[in-house]
Amino acid sequence: MAQLWGGRFTGETDRMAYEFNASIRFDRRLFHQDIQGSIAHVTMLARQGILTEEEKDSIVRGLTDIREAVDAGDMEIDETCEDIHSFVEAALIRRIGEAGKKMHTGRSRNDQVALDMRLYTREHVKETDALLKELLRVILAVMEENVETYMPGFTHLQKAQPTTLAHHYGAYFEMFKRDRQRMADIYKRMNYCPLGAGALAGTTYPLDREYTASLMEFAGPTLNSMDSVSDRDYLIEYLAALSTIMMHLSRFCEEIIIWNSNEYQFVEIDDAYSTGSSIMPQKKNPDIAELVRGKTGRVYGALTALLTTMKGIPLAYNKDMQEDKELSFDAMDTVRDCLILFTGMLRTMKFRKERMAASAMNGFTNATDAADYLVGKGVPFRDAHGIIGRLVLYCVEKDTSIDRLSLEELRTVSDKFEEDIYDAVALKTCVEKRLTLGAPGREAMEKVIKEHNKYLMNADL
Ligand code: ARG
């Protein structure tokens, strides 16, 4: 395959060096973006009088035909080409002849690839945002239905205080909402067009960079040509945000795996998202949750790899930067799949509400409320804490719970206990009394749910 840059060379590239250098195997993904960028570029060139209208029309037609042919499967992307840019240019020249050789006027592959990758990533940022929104919808639906589904809240994985399923899911709503905000933020910052930066120092042709940028719906052109060809910050930011999404998914998966265990039995994962064992017939394993948790590592890996690749590169373009693609593509695919599967798993997961409530009852999750009860009867909190601590010890020895003790038993630790203690430590009361904004009490929860519904009505990216 003749090289775009063959003129200056007399010797052949070593076979392995050629393969090592070539990127078409993975940058073929940028095919559509490459064509889109070239159409915008030649449209601008014609408007500036650098190409004639006929030349531009012929190039645009040629590029459109190539896109259709490849999309329809009538034409193969030739993997003997060095990269996707060489393929498109060679295919164009073959198709339309001389005019095709003018497409690359006032452009370098450096600004071309910077543009292609940005266009590709911009779409993915939007897609990630849409998938997060869908996940938030599923979470919110569970919240709306489970304002009175009681369960233990944990600290140190030890039962701590009673809460509700709505409240627990509400925590994840906040996390994925922040993830969406990160998408919006990245989108806004990355949405500038690098095309026209040339190899590194712009070009001598009178390009209209504002116009090119507007053709591809960028907020404007980038303002430094060296930075334009060597900036991959937006990818690093995106990979960091994807890593954070994976961290959130992984924590959620970890909980689901625990809740799905024989010991807990809080939830049942649908058959569609579980698998069996080759040897143990009784098994139904939470493989999807485990895989999502496991794949977090490779997304973190992509972030670490790109940060490391970028750290020692002098300005401006260097071939090191070609390494941005495979790992970013892998991370984007991984997070997309994880979000889709996780959302499906969540949508179909069943809750064993009685098990959840029973678990909240038998773990002394109402001990703080019992102490608060004594405070209400005039006992200083520190003393109340000690009294209830002794009561819990008594219950542990007797294998019972505070609400099952008789009034006489209760009075052995404090004469402040009266009949109303039973209502005060009932699960429902313990939760309902938690009315501060952000707490699980019904009123507080309903206020938050209303906010979330309003938030999900907002426009997308
Ligand atoms: N395949 C290259 C990349 O991904 C395209 C840019 C090549 N530019 C160059 N001067 N060799 O970064």
Side-chain angles (χ1 to χ4, degrees):
M1 172 45 71
Q3 302 308 326
L4 294 174
W5 35 262
R8 190 227 175 281
F9 286 72
T10 51
E12 286 290 310
T13 319
D14 173 79
R15 176 98 228 128
M16 190 169 162
Y18 180 80
E19 298 287 341
F20 191 67
N21 181 60
S23 52
I24 191 139
R25 195 172 37 79
F26 46 86
D27 67 17
R28 53 180 296 152
R29 273 200 198 220
L30 302 175
F31 175 66
H32 282 122
Q33 289 72 19
D34 202 67
I35 299 235
Q36 184 191 356
S38 289
I39 289 177
H41 181 61
V42 297
T43 305
M44 179 275 295
L45 289 180
R47 193 171 187 248
Q48 297 300 99
I50 302 165
L51 291 184
T52 65
E53 280 299 311
E54 297 72 55
E55 286 165 338
K56 182 259 291 178
D57 288 342
S58 159
I59 295 173
V60 170
R61 206 172 321 112
L63 289 170
T64 315
D65 289 349
I66 292 168
R67 180 170 57 202
E68 280 170 11
V70 169
D71 287 351
D74 297 335
M75 186 178 180
E76 289 270 312
I77 293 180
D78 179 2
E79 291 214 356
T80 62
C81 293
E82 181 185 342
D83 54 32
I84 192 65
H85 326 297
S86 324
F87 164 72
V88 172
E89 189 171 316
L92 181 72
I93 295 169
R94 219 176 309 119
R95 194 167 279 247
I96 68 164
E98 285 304 299
K101 296 183 185 169
K102 296 195 174 178
M103 174 174 71
H104 209 53
T105 311
R107 189 173 70 170
S108 155
R109 276 187 296 169
N110 296 351
D111 58 343
Q112 189 178 357
V113 77
L115 170 70
D116 291 3
M117 197 61 185
R118 226 176 249 242
L119 285 171
Y120 186 88
T121 308
R122 194 175 67 170
E123 277 318 295
H124 268 264
V125 171
K126 272 200 214 174
E127 187 194 50
T128 309
D129 182 66
L131 291 172
L132 285 167
K133 188 172 187 184
E134 192 49 38
L135 173 57
L136 286 176
R137 281 212 183 88
V138 172
I139 292 176
L140 187 56
V142 174
M143 289 172 71
E144 282 172 331
E145 276 172 29
N146 291 285
V147 174
E148 279 187 359
T149 303
Y150 303 117
M151 64 178 285
F154 299 85
T155 63
H156 314 272
L157 206 53
Q158 310 266 339
K159 291 179 198 177
Q161 288 173 348
T163 183
T164 65
L165 182 56
H167 189 235
H168 198 113
Y169 265 45
Y172 286 103
F173 192 100
E174 300 298 327
M175 292 181 229
F176 295 117
K177 180 178 166 190
R178 287 195 293 273
D179 288 330
R180 284 195 78 201
Q181 289 164 344
R182 271 183 273 277
M183 291 304 128
D185 190 37
I186 291 166
Y187 190 92
K188 205 162 141 211
R189 194 164 25 255
M190 75 175 287
N191 198 22
Y192 291 88
C193 182
L195 200 63
L200 79 159
T203 81
T204 54
Y205 298 94
L207 307 186
D208 183 346
R209 295 195 56 218
E210 272 89 4
Y211 180 59
T212 320
S214 73
L215 286 176
M216 291 177 283
E217 284 161 23
F218 283 104
T222 53
L223 295 183
N224 180 286
S225 57
M226 279 210 187
D227 180 55
S228 307
V229 292
S230 59
D231 166 36
R232 297 294 181 273
D233 288 5
Y234 69 95
L235 271 179
I236 290 173
E237 288 183 35
Y238 185 40
L239 290 174
L242 292 181
S243 296
T244 309
I245 292 172
M246 289 305 291
M247 180 266 288
H248 292 154
L249 286 176
S250 185
R251 291 183 76 173
F252 210 159
C253 283
E254 169 71 5
E255 296 205 309
I256 290 171
I257 291 161
I258 293 172
W259 292 352
N260 184 63
S261 67
N262 277 333
E263 284 67 25
Y264 275 73
Q265 296 178 31
F266 281 8
V267 298
E268 193 178 340
I269 299 175
D270 194 81
D271 282 3
Y273 298 95
S274 324
T275 58
S277 157
S278 61
I279 176 169
M280 298 165 282
Q282 83 282 15
K283 288 278 228 151
K284 192 174 144 189
N285 297 325
D287 293 47
I288 299 304
E290 289 171 11
L291 268 173
V292 171
R293 187 178 59 182
K295 283 181 191 290
T296 304
R298 68 197 273 172
V299 178
Y300 289 5
L303 171 64
T304 312
L306 189 58
L307 277 169
T308 312
T309 293
M310 294 304 295
K311 81 178 248 304
I313 309 183
L315 291 178
Y317 179 82
N318 296 265
K319 201 55 175 272
D320 317 42
M321 273 144 53
Q322 180 166 290
E323 284 295 307
D324 65 355
K325 293 182 193 59
E326 282 168 287
L327 50 89
S328 298
F329 293 156
D330 183 74
M332 294 181 204
D333 293 350
T334 302
V335 177
R336 193 227 293 112
D337 293 353
C338 287
L339 278 170
I340 293 171
L341 283 168
F342 184 84
T343 302
M345 179 175 74
L346 216 58
R347 188 183 282 120
T348 50
M349 197 166 76
K350 301 263 182 312
F351 298 100
R352 297 194 157 159
K353 300 184 184 178
E354 355 55 68
R355 295 265 323 172
M356 290 175 147
S359 168
M361 307 265 283
N362 68 20
F364 302 107
T365 58
N366 54 5
T368 314
D369 299 88
D372 288 343
Y373 169 89
L374 291 178
V375 170
K377 303 274 174 185
V379 182
F381 181 76
R382 191 49 57 211
D383 293 341
H385 187 286
I387 293 167
I388 303 299
R390 286 198 294 283
L391 203 57
V392 167
L393 193 61
Y394 175 82
C395 290
V396 170
E397 280 159 6
K398 296 254 170 195
D399 192 23
T400 184
S401 56
I402 297 174
D403 42 285
R404 273 182 291 194
L405 295 177
S406 67
L407 206 49
E408 295 80 75
E409 284 173 297
L410 289 167
R411 288 220 169 109
T412 58
V413 290
S414 168
D415 57 9
K416 302 283 183 201
F417 282 116
E418 286 166 60
E419 199 54 49
D420 57 352
I421 176 63
Y422 296 106
D423 184 47
V425 297
L427 205 48
K428 191 172 162 65
T429 323
C430 293
V431 173
E432 290 307 313
K433 276 193 321 215
R434 295 188 147 76
L435 282 175
T436 37
L437 187 64
R442 171 179 270 284
E443 257 171 62
M445 206 64 237
E446 274 168 357
K447 206 183 276 175
V448 169
I449 288 175
K450 209 153 140 208
E451 285 292 313
H452 289 351
N453 270 308
K454 245 195 274 162
Y455 161 75
L456 285 181
M457 307 242 287
N458 288 344
D460 300 343
L461 267 186

